[in-house]
Amino acid sequence: MSDFDPMEAMKKEFESYIIPPSWKDRVWEINEYRKFHEETVKDKKSIEEWWERWANELPWFKKWEKVLDDSNPPFYRWFVGGETNLAYLCTDWQLEQGRKNKVAIIWEGEPVDENNEPKEVRKLTYYDLYRESNRIAYMLREKLGVKKGEILTFYLPMIPELPLYMLAVQRLGAKHSIVFSGFSAEALAIRIIDAGARIVVTADGLYRRGKVLNLKAIVDEAIKICEREGHKVEKVIVVKRIGTDIPWNSERDVWHHELMSDIPKNVKVECERLGSEDFSFILYTSGTTGKPKGVQHSVGGYAVHVYTTMKLIFDIKDEDIFWCTADVGWITGHSYVVYGPLMTGATTLMYEGAPDYPDVDRWASIIERYGVTIFYTAPTAIRMLMRFPEEKYTKHDLSTLRIINSVGEPINPEAWRWYYKVFGRENVVCTSTWWMTETGGIITGHSPGFGKIYPLKPGTNGFPLPGIKMEVFDDEGNPVKPGERGYLVISTPWPGMLMTLFKDPERYIQVYFEKYRKRGWHFYTGDFAMIDHDGYVWVLGRADDVLKIAGHRIGTAEIESAIIKHPAVAEAACVGKSDPIKGEIAIIYVVLKKGYEPSEEMVAELKKHLRATIGPVVASDALIAFVEVLPKTRSGKIMRRLLRAVAEGKPLGDVTTLESEVAVEEAKKAYEIVKRALERT
Ligand code: PRX
């Protein structure tokens, strides 16, 4: 167990000013930048002027009447009265700008030949995207009756059909709810039911680390659960990716290619004119309760935010090859694999498989193969790659890279330095962009798009974007001093912000705005952070019961409610434990029912159960520790602080404040159990 303290490690870097040599003549003096930033958040007018400038770069079917309607906080509405459509921005508008035959998507499949060359590469031009998404939209409308406002659930792997279906539903003014293909049948079912989807789009399977995973079987399982809950899925569209035999229900299931076989090549479906404040998609994310939250995003505000960050944070240019390694099933993939790059007419890269298949240099080989210029990935992946010799990567030509960013969890300074050196040759912009599913797009980071940068610092998240004010508060809502830890809040509305939680506006207010309600309308992020003396933000990790396992966001309550469904489990409590590669893993303390005994087999059985109910992301690294009782206060509250200390192998702290002797003993016992479990791994 390590004594690594992220706060101390980051504090050490407060004064590490790094300027990549190629930027040495293009540097903002920090205070000059700070002043510029402050001007943009001075008042409502400055905020509006800042964002309006970017909105003016996009085409609108109808221009907005009001930039920001803040008459009903926290339900802010952006570019009110304006009309646009994400599909229009990503395809039609690109053709209008002369990008008809520019490659929009480069897709590489996972399987390789005997020389480790990819067996399949597909390149789709903007014209291909335009035509295919029109055809799919036409098919959905004419054959399946999809109309404006309907929500479709996509459970698809990283194949080009996913963005094509996204664009098709946007054309129709329908909405998507994408469920990451690593989620279990149960997680998928909950999301299908909540969205009320009657159509699910999936694939027969996917390749992952050389193996085939049968997605369709998971969908069938999910549909059974939906039926038990009284929700009917009418149609399952299946894209043929693998070609193996799969279970089939001929009344409900239909192949994508068969649905498309008689759709003419050149059908056109007019883009629906959507109100800027209409919604474009929902995406479920985890919170502190067991029930996932349907984060609902707008059309116009979302578009402006994602567009602006493509220009500023990624400095996107026509000749760039842009690669965000995230799965499209997460918000990062929505905004920076699909909508952002396409809206800015870039070439976006999609890779189907694992970063280490057939070897850890797969990503480096892809960067070399296509001359990737902008790269965006997660710290977990960087830490995994770091375990191998640098030559694995540097033997590939990585010299095309000019901006490399990270996202999803804090990047420890050591990983940042490695990434900057090995991938960035110490001469690129390298920043950790902080944001969330709820923010729609990037909120902090360096902005080379200005043509100048303020100095880099290893591990920092940099300044918030202009037009956005962030603060770090103590429990009462007082700003803490520079360098002190507190809760990160966003104090001003921004265009990419979620509109509400789907069908649950009360929860939207409660989760994000209740905490500091007395101080006004501050968006509570749920993160611990500090702001240093220069004004740079440093995010330290979650402050609530949400874990980030390899950058994937999952609530401990979700894990507990999944494990408790197993017939052997009486009670369970889950906490996070820091992990040198994954950032965090789950430790689950389990009390078994009478008649069940702790054993290696029981651990395996519970892990299998977790895999089926929550999915492999959590299950594969979860540690299960059996205890006889959970440490609780007299009022019955589980003492998580204690469990976390136990998990981290840290002193239990001031145990005299604990209310129960038994709890102290149990915690100590649990500590021994976890220690032994860790020693075994
Ligand atoms: O804890 C923060 C962490 O990820 C959380 C949001 O997770 P999710 O909605 O899944 O979105 C992830 C990708 C946008 C945040 O509350 N997080 C995200 N980016 C960073 C980060 N923590 C530190 N540094 C980052 N760059």
Side-chain angles (χ1 to χ4, degrees), residues 641 652-658:
R641 175 181 66 79
L652 297 187
D654 184 8
V655 285
T656 56
T657 60
L658 300 179

PDB file of all heavy atoms in Angstrom, residues 641 652-658:
ATOM      1  N   ARG A 641     -15.847   6.481   6.423  1.00  0.00           N
ATOM      2  CA  ARG A 641     -14.522   7.077   6.623  1.00  0.00           C
ATOM      3  C   ARG A 641     -13.560   6.005   7.145  1.00  0.00           C
ATOM      4  O   ARG A 641     -12.435   5.858   6.683  1.00  0.00           O
ATOM      5  CB  ARG A 641     -14.628   8.232   7.623  1.00  0.00           C
ATOM      6  CG  ARG A 641     -13.300   8.859   7.997  1.00  0.00           C
ATOM      7  CD  ARG A 641     -13.475   9.977   9.015  1.00  0.00           C
ATOM      8  NE  ARG A 641     -13.959   9.519  10.313  1.00  0.00           N
ATOM      9  CZ  ARG A 641     -13.197   8.942  11.237  1.00  0.00           C
ATOM     10  NH1 ARG A 641     -11.929   8.723  10.997  1.00  0.00           N
ATOM     11  NH2 ARG A 641     -13.702   8.573  12.390  1.00  0.00           N
ATOM     12  N   LEU A 652      -6.633   4.284  11.568  1.00  0.00           N
ATOM     13  CA  LEU A 652      -8.085   4.433  11.625  1.00  0.00           C
ATOM     14  C   LEU A 652      -8.512   5.821  12.086  1.00  0.00           C
ATOM     15  O   LEU A 652      -9.670   6.165  12.052  1.00  0.00           O
ATOM     16  CB  LEU A 652      -8.679   3.386  12.557  1.00  0.00           C
ATOM     17  CG  LEU A 652      -8.483   1.945  12.111  1.00  0.00           C
ATOM     18  CD1 LEU A 652      -9.243   1.008  13.014  1.00  0.00           C
ATOM     19  CD2 LEU A 652      -8.921   1.741  10.670  1.00  0.00           C
ATOM     20  N   GLY A 653      -7.554   6.599  12.527  1.00  0.00           N
ATOM     21  CA  GLY A 653      -7.904   7.951  12.956  1.00  0.00           C
ATOM     22  C   GLY A 653      -8.383   7.924  14.387  1.00  0.00           C
ATOM     23  O   GLY A 653      -8.118   6.982  15.126  1.00  0.00           O
ATOM     24  N   ASP A 654      -9.091   8.956  14.727  1.00  0.00           N
ATOM     25  CA  ASP A 654      -9.512   9.109  16.097  1.00  0.00           C
ATOM     26  C   ASP A 654     -10.689   8.182  16.400  1.00  0.00           C
ATOM     27  O   ASP A 654     -11.845   8.547  16.269  1.00  0.00           O
ATOM     28  CB  ASP A 654      -9.912  10.580  16.294  1.00  0.00           C
ATOM     29  CG  ASP A 654     -10.274  10.839  17.728  1.00  0.00           C
ATOM     30  OD1 ASP A 654     -10.072   9.928  18.554  1.00  0.00           O
ATOM     31  OD2 ASP A 654     -10.764  11.939  18.015  1.00  0.00           O
ATOM     32  N   VAL A 655     -10.371   6.976  16.867  1.00  0.00           N
ATOM     33  CA  VAL A 655     -11.455   6.011  17.072  1.00  0.00           C
ATOM     34  C   VAL A 655     -12.285   6.321  18.316  1.00  0.00           C
ATOM     35  O   VAL A 655     -13.356   5.753  18.512  1.00  0.00           O
ATOM     36  CB  VAL A 655     -10.937   4.550  17.147  1.00  0.00           C
ATOM     37  CG1 VAL A 655     -10.571   4.047  15.785  1.00  0.00           C
ATOM     38  CG2 VAL A 655      -9.786   4.428  18.110  1.00  0.00           C
ATOM     39  N   THR A 656     -11.784   7.247  19.143  1.00  0.00           N
ATOM     40  CA  THR A 656     -12.554   7.546  20.355  1.00  0.00           C
ATOM     41  C   THR A 656     -13.890   8.203  20.017  1.00  0.00           C
ATOM     42  O   THR A 656     -14.828   8.155  20.795  1.00  0.00           O
ATOM     43  CB  THR A 656     -11.781   8.496  21.287  1.00  0.00           C
ATOM     44  OG1 THR A 656     -11.456   9.659  20.517  1.00  0.00           O
ATOM     45  CG2 THR A 656     -10.523   7.861  21.828  1.00  0.00           C
ATOM     46  N   THR A 657     -13.961   8.804  18.847  1.00  0.00           N
ATOM     47  CA  THR A 657     -15.226   9.442  18.471  1.00  0.00           C
ATOM     48  C   THR A 657     -16.257   8.432  17.989  1.00  0.00           C
ATOM     49  O   THR A 657     -17.413   8.760  17.820  1.00  0.00           O
ATOM     50  CB  THR A 657     -15.016  10.480  17.348  1.00  0.00           C
ATOM     51  OG1 THR A 657     -14.480   9.772  16.236  1.00  0.00           O
ATOM     52  CG2 THR A 657     -14.080  11.587  17.768  1.00  0.00           C
ATOM     53  N   LEU A 658     -15.812   7.223  17.740  1.00  0.00           N
ATOM     54  CA  LEU A 658     -16.756   6.228  17.249  1.00  0.00           C
ATOM     55  C   LEU A 658     -17.729   5.835  18.341  1.00  0.00           C
ATOM     56  O   LEU A 658     -17.399   5.824  19.523  1.00  0.00           O
ATOM     57  CB  LEU A 658     -16.013   4.989  16.738  1.00  0.00           C
ATOM     58  CG  LEU A 658     -15.058   5.271  15.595  1.00  0.00           C
ATOM     59  CD1 LEU A 658     -14.373   3.993  15.183  1.00  0.00           C
ATOM     60  CD2 LEU A 658     -15.794   5.873  14.421  1.00  0.00           C
TER      61      LEU A 658
END
